């Protein structure tokens, strides 16, 4: 969706008569991309589905507050990201464990997850990613799994391309070391 | 993006078959939740909403007010001094009897000099005959009545 199409969609979302149709169009257009963003953070399909629903509900309720300072997708991505981290915090509180322990718990559950079809190396990769600090983990996933450009990533994460390259470089080294040593 | 419709080959994550095709947001429920309180707002209320902000009031600092008052007071004092200097005439210090009114002289004589005479009480009873031959010891006392004596005592 280019900028003009995006502006047209936003105008229709803010119009009382066309809002529902426009919102369905928005969901159809972005559901898959947002799903995978959330899934890489949460790893579990059912949790991802819940958070995706909440993300779209928030987008629906707040679309009139969108000021157009950034691309629509960047704004939605930030909502999805916040919803995901909020979900993880709630889950760690429910289980009375730290966020690091929760990440271990999630990765260990992957082996028995019916929606995980990974071999040993993929499981090991997930464990390696799990050792990364939060920021590096996010950058690594966006770059490695989604092959996102640094320029787009910089807008999403509100940082510089240089900082992102540095983060990705350090993350890659750590993942490589983990895979070699385990 | 590497992801196929239902599997991410690089990660091994899967989604149920036709998950994305069947994905539907519960918009009706969302709207129902929004209106469950029963409260409604007029059409285009939020679109037309404008905040009527009060006009900004200029706040003057107290020390600035004092400073202004002090400066004004100094200026007034200087102005007053200058005006007094302009309209003030030198007092005539030379003495000249021609400038005195007749009435002033009379008043002076009457109230300033004649006041000295008040010490003297005119009373015929107090007139003495100093002819020693005529004076007898008891005569003086007899001639003076009580009131005359009281008057004398007052002075």
């Amino acid at each position: 969706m280019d900028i003009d199409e995006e502006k047209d969609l936003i105008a229709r979302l803010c119009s009382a008569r066309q809002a529902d149709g426009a919102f369905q169009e928005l969901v159809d257009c972005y559901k898959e991309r947002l799903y995978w963003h959330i899934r890489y953070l949460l790893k579990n399909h059912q949790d991802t589905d819940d958070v995706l629903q909440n993300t779209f509900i928030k987008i629906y309720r707040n679309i009139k507050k969108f000021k157009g300072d950034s691309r629509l997708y960047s704004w939605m991505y930030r909502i999805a990201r916040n919803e995901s981290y909020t979900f993880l915090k709630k889950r760690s509180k429910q289980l009375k464990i730290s966020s690091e322990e929760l990440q271990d718990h999630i990765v260990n559950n992957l082996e028995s997850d019916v929606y995980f079809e990974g071999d040993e190396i993929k499981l090991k990769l997930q464990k390696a990613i799990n050792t990364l600090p939060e920021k590096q983990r996010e950058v690594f996933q966006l770059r490695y799994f989604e092959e996102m450009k640094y320029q787009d990533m910089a807008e999403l994460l509100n940082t510089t391309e240089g900082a992102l390259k540095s983060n990705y470089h350090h993350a890659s080294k750590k993942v490589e070391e983990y895979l070699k040593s385990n | 993006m590497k992801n196929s419709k239902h599997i991410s080959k690089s990660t091994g994550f899967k989604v149920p078959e036709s998950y994305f095709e069947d994905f539907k947001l519960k918009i009706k429920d969302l709207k129902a939740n929004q209106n469950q309180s029963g409260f409604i707002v007029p059409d285009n209320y939020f679109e037309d909403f404008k905040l009527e902000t009060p006009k900004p009031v200029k706040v003057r600092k107290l020390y600035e007010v004092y400073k202004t008052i002090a400066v004004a007071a100094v200026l007034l004092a200087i102005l007053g001094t200058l005006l007094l200097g302009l309209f003030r005439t030198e007092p005539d210090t030379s003495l000249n009897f021609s400038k005195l009114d007749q009435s002033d002289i009379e008043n002076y004589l009457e109230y300033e000099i004649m006041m000295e005479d008040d010490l003297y009480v005119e009373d015929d009873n107090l007139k003495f005959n100093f002819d020693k031959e005529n004076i007898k010891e008891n005569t003086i006392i007899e001639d003076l009545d009580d009131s005359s004596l009281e008057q004398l005592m007052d002075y």
Side-chain angles (χ1 to χ4, degrees):
Chain A
M1 189 177 284
D2 63 29
I3 291 179
D4 291 335
E5 287 173 327
E6 197 174 286
K7 280 181 181 171
D8 177 59
L9 180 63
I10 293 164
R12 283 187 286 129
L13 283 166
C14 295
S15 151
R17 282 191 302 115
Q18 301 179 68
D20 286 354
F23 193 71
Q24 190 55 53
E25 198 178 313
L26 179 136
V27 171
D28 289 341
C29 187
Y30 292 109
K31 62 188 176 190
E32 202 172 337
R33 283 178 75 186
L34 285 176
Y35 174 90
W36 286 112
H37 276 314
I38 298 166
R39 181 75 188 265
Y40 292 138
L41 291 171
L42 305 184
K43 297 179 173 63
N44 175 279
H45 167 72
Q46 196 53 52
D47 294 342
T48 303
D49 184 50
D50 290 343
V51 172
L52 184 64
Q53 286 281 341
N54 289 340
T55 300
F56 277 120
I57 287 168
K58 280 220 164 168
I59 291 166
Y60 182 85
R61 286 181 174 164
N62 293 287
I63 190 67
K64 287 179 182 173
K65 293 178 189 169
F66 176 66
K67 294 170 184 171
D69 297 336
S70 61
R71 294 293 299 268
L72 179 63
Y73 182 69
S74 304
W75 179 72
M76 292 193 299
Y77 171 80
R78 281 193 281 271
I79 293 174
R81 185 169 170 259
N82 287 341
E83 285 295 309
S84 301
Y85 285 122
T86 303
F87 177 87
L88 288 172
K89 276 181 191 170
K90 276 184 188 171
R91 179 56 60 85
S92 63
K93 274 189 179 176
Q94 280 171 354
L95 298 174
K96 295 179 181 173
I97 53 176
S98 68
S99 55
E100 289 81 12
E101 287 170 328
L102 178 68
Q103 288 297 327
D104 291 339
H105 175 76
I106 290 169
V107 171
N108 290 333
N109 281 346
L110 278 178
E111 288 178 73
S112 57
D113 190 340
V114 292
Y115 293 115
F116 182 70
E117 205 177 56
D119 50 19
E120 195 181 340
I121 189 70
K122 283 172 186 166
L123 189 62
K124 203 185 273 188
L125 178 62
Q126 286 301 322
K127 287 181 179 174
I129 292 167
N130 214 27
T131 62
L132 298 174
E134 192 177 287
K135 180 79 175 176
Q136 286 182 16
R137 186 161 61 220
E138 192 172 10
V139 173
F140 185 85
Q141 289 175 153
L142 287 170
R143 181 71 186 152
Y144 186 78
F145 294 132
E146 297 188 49
E147 297 177 342
M148 189 178 281
K149 290 176 185 172
Y150 284 114
Q151 191 183 350
D152 297 337
M153 231 192 287
E155 193 186 338
L156 286 184
L157 301 176
N158 200 21
T159 185
T160 62
E161 288 184 42
L164 291 169
K165 283 175 185 172
S166 172
N167 274 322
Y168 183 70
H169 174 74
H170 286 109
S172 303
K173 285 279 176 196
K174 284 179 190 171
V175 169
E176 195 181 336
E177 281 170 21
Y178 182 92
L179 292 175
K180 279 181 183 171
S181 61
N182 288 278
Chain B
M1 195 182 291
K2 276 183 177 179
N3 312 310
S4 71
K5 279 286 178 187
H6 69 282
I7 188 165
S8 167
K9 287 182 180 169
S10 55
T11 58
F13 292 145
K14 282 199 308 179
V15 293
E17 288 281 349
S18 68
Y19 169 76
F20 292 118
E21 290 81 354
D22 297 340
F23 181 83
K24 283 204 171 69
L25 195 67
K26 296 164 186 171
I27 297 177
K28 286 178 183 174
D29 292 346
L30 174 69
K31 286 185 172 176
N33 287 339
Q34 280 186 320
N35 294 325
Q36 69 185 1
S37 68
F39 296 127
I40 55 167
V41 294
D43 289 341
N44 298 324
Y45 170 76
F46 294 111
E47 289 81 355
D48 299 338
F49 180 80
K50 278 180 187 168
L51 188 63
E52 291 178 5
T53 51
K55 288 179 182 175
V57 179
K58 191 181 177 185
V59 179
R60 293 192 66 188
K61 292 177 182 172
L62 198 57
Y63 78 88
E64 285 180 352
V65 176
Y66 288 148
K67 197 175 162 184
T68 310
I69 292 169
V71 170
V74 168
L75 286 173
L76 276 173
I78 292 168
L79 190 67
T81 310
L82 289 172
L83 286 173
L84 280 173
L86 277 176
F87 295 110
R88 192 168 149 192
T89 52
E90 285 295 320
D92 188 0
T93 52
S94 60
L95 288 172
N96 193 341
F97 284 105
S98 63
K99 291 178 182 173
L100 288 173
D101 288 338
Q102 185 68 30
S103 59
D104 290 339
I105 296 167
E106 283 172 1
N107 283 336
Y108 176 76
L109 290 172
E110 186 176 348
Y111 292 105
E112 299 295 330
I113 295 176
M114 292 303 285
M115 282 295 283
E116 302 293 326
D117 292 342
D118 292 347
L119 292 171
Y120 303 100
V121 179
E122 283 189 27
D123 193 337
D124 292 338
N125 296 327
L126 293 178
K127 289 178 181 174
F128 299 98
N129 185 354
F130 287 100
D131 187 358
K132 285 183 181 177
E133 290 176 359
N134 294 331
I135 296 173
K136 292 178 184 175
E137 193 172 342
N138 294 326
T139 309
I140 297 170
I141 296 169
E142 285 170 2
D143 285 346
L144 290 172
D145 60 13
D146 291 341
S147 63
S148 300
L149 274 171
E150 282 175 6
Q151 278 186 330
L152 279 172
M153 292 296 283
D154 288 339
Y155 292 108

